[in-house]
Amino acid sequence: MKLARLMLLACALASASALAGCSSDMNANTGESANASASPGAAPSPAAQALTEVERPQKIKDMMAARGEEDNAKPALKIVEPKEGATLSGSTVKLKLDLSGDLKGYKPHKDPATGMGNHIHVILDNQPYEAYYDLGQPFELRDVTTGAHTIRVFPSRPWHESYKNDGAFQMVTFNVRGGGDASKATTASTGEKMADNTGAVNKAISPVKPGSNATAATPAASPAATTEGKDYTQPSNAGQVDRSKPLLTYSRPKGEYKGDDTNAIMIDFWLSNAKLQDVGGDYRVRYSVDGGEAKYIDKWGPIWLTGWAAGKHTVKLELVDKDGNPVENGGYNTTTREITVTK
Ligand SMILES: [Cu+2]
């Protein structure tokens, strides 16, 4: 105890370059640090970074305690629309969900004060999820391209940790006819494309074009619109997913992390038709950050990693068999996302 406190003090006083060494010493895991700094694969990392798995942050433990029974809810979702196998006309897909099960007070809702709250994660194809808060009205997926698509949904807590009970996860496969044309997305094939497929950074400020067709432009452009939804500027189609086979659904991390939230970043996923080793299964979830050393998750639950350097990072998550071979299912079982850490 005394030694740890001394080292902490030493670390605090040490230079930035020595800090990485301190953190690995503190965790009695010297081999890991040596690997990380020696690995040529660590090149894309914006700065020296040694990630360490840590326990659930106290902030989240406190939130769980405050939620009481709600945290042990077993929410069950049903996808009311679109229907399995449906063919839809047009590039806007309306998603309607029905929430039931043993809710213990669980209810999706965004607190206007904090901007946080229980919500549903909605995943089109294998794109990053979108948050859906008010199930009272449909969630609009806009600029969906022509062809086959999947939507996956599951309930989440305010800190984005998913509920993992039976019935929480649902998936639907459907077709879009007359939707956006992925190959022509940059040329505004619908005539009202709010942003092209390379202009994701402009999305948040996409203006209403004067004289544009009101019915197409209104839901996407108006910041005051109450309809929740997402403009899919990155065209995609469904993978050849077999719903009876093992399926790993990437959920977190996603997007930008700032301030306090960068201290410990959560990896969280949904697992269907596959048991991990802790319950006697054959499967493992493998992750790597910035193309670095592969690590394994053998128990289905969130993990938290600390030690992130400021900048962009890639997080790769994949489902592998007991020999470490990737388990293929429509391309969904291996997913790499970029996140941004802002200190
Ligand atoms: Cu979330």
Side-chain angles (χ1 to χ4, degrees):
M1 213 48 180
K2 246 180 192 165
L3 180 63
R5 222 177 281 159
L6 258 173
M7 288 178 69
L8 197 66
L9 185 67
C11 285
L13 295 170
S15 71
S17 62
L19 208 55
C22 280
S23 77
S24 69
D25 285 344
M26 299 268 298
N27 292 286
N29 198 354
T30 49
E32 187 185 314
S33 154
N35 274 350
S37 51
S39 165
S45 179
Q49 168 181 284
L51 296 176
T52 312
E53 194 177 330
V54 289
E55 67 172 307
R56 180 182 290 271
Q58 188 59 42
K59 191 170 100 177
I60 294 177
K61 287 182 185 172
D62 292 346
M63 280 192 276
M64 288 172 78
R67 285 155 63 84
E69 272 301 285
E70 190 181 321
D71 215 61
N72 300 315
K74 295 197 166 20
L77 279 175
K78 196 178 144 202
I79 300 177
V80 180
E81 278 180 36
K83 298 258 186 288
E84 176 63 30
T87 296
L88 312 173
S89 296
S91 63
T92 297
V93 174
K94 283 190 195 301
L95 173 68
K96 275 192 198 165
L97 299 177
D98 182 60
L99 177 66
S100 62
D102 183 9
L103 296 175
K104 299 187 192 299
Y106 177 86
K107 188 183 191 297
H109 173 72
K110 186 189 254 179
D111 179 350
T114 62
M116 286 179 74
N118 292 317
H119 56 283
I120 309 296
H121 284 193
V122 175
I123 300 174
L124 176 70
D125 304 327
N126 201 28
Q127 300 210 31
Y129 81 82
E130 293 301 323
Y132 178 16
Y133 288 89
D134 180 5
L135 301 195
Q137 54 180 320
F139 183 94
E140 288 189 351
L141 297 85
R142 310 177 192 111
D143 293 336
V144 178
T145 55
T146 296
H149 295 277
T150 60
I151 289 175
R152 288 175 278 175
V153 294
F154 46 89
S156 176
R157 298 164 172 91
W159 56 94
H160 310 290
E161 177 184 347
S162 58
Y163 281 86
K164 297 177 175 66
N165 53 283
D166 285 347
F169 175 95
Q170 296 297 336
M171 178 167 87
V172 67
T173 303
F174 59 97
N175 288 287
V176 166
R177 199 185 280 162
D181 181 342
S183 66
K184 292 178 184 165
T186 53
T187 59
S189 62
T190 64
E192 290 308 326
K193 191 71 68 181
M194 297 314 293
D196 68 34
N197 62 352
T198 59
V201 289
N202 296 324
K203 182 166 63 76
I205 51 160
S206 52
V208 184
K209 271 188 240 162
S212 64
N213 178 317
T215 50
T218 300
S222 168
T226 52
T227 306
E228 291 179 77
K230 163 74 178 173
D231 304 316
Y232 283 91
T233 53
Q234 293 285 336
S236 70
N237 279 108
Q240 294 291 316
V241 176
D242 183 336
R243 61 176 61 236
S244 69
K245 288 189 174 159
L247 178 63
L248 172 71
T249 299
Y250 182 113
S251 183
R252 297 288 290 192
K254 176 198 143 161
E256 188 173 5
Y257 292 77
K258 291 178 185 169
D260 235 22
D261 290 338
T262 66
N263 294 340
I265 292 180
M266 178 184 71
I267 293 181
D268 192 43
F269 53 90
W270 230 93
L271 201 56
S272 319
N273 311 313
K275 283 188 163 58
L276 299 188
Q277 296 195 343
D278 72 310
V279 285
D282 280 339
Y283 297 95
R284 311 184 81 184
V285 171
R286 182 162 66 198
Y287 72 91
S288 65
V289 175
D290 297 332
E293 186 191 358
K295 301 273 184 71
Y296 290 87
I297 301 172
D298 290 321
K299 181 182 191 299
W300 184 19
I303 65 161
W304 280 267
L305 299 176
T306 189
W308 297 84
K312 288 189 190 307
H313 300 279
T314 59
V315 177
K316 183 183 186 185
L317 203 60
E318 56 187 339
L319 185 65
V320 300
D321 65 18
K322 62 181 190 307
D323 300 318
N325 299 313
V327 177
E328 172 54 28
N329 194 354
Y332 290 2
N333 284 345
T334 299
T335 303
T336 303
R337 295 254 187 274
E338 187 178 272
I339 64 165
T340 303
V341 171
T342 306
K343 294 281 185 184

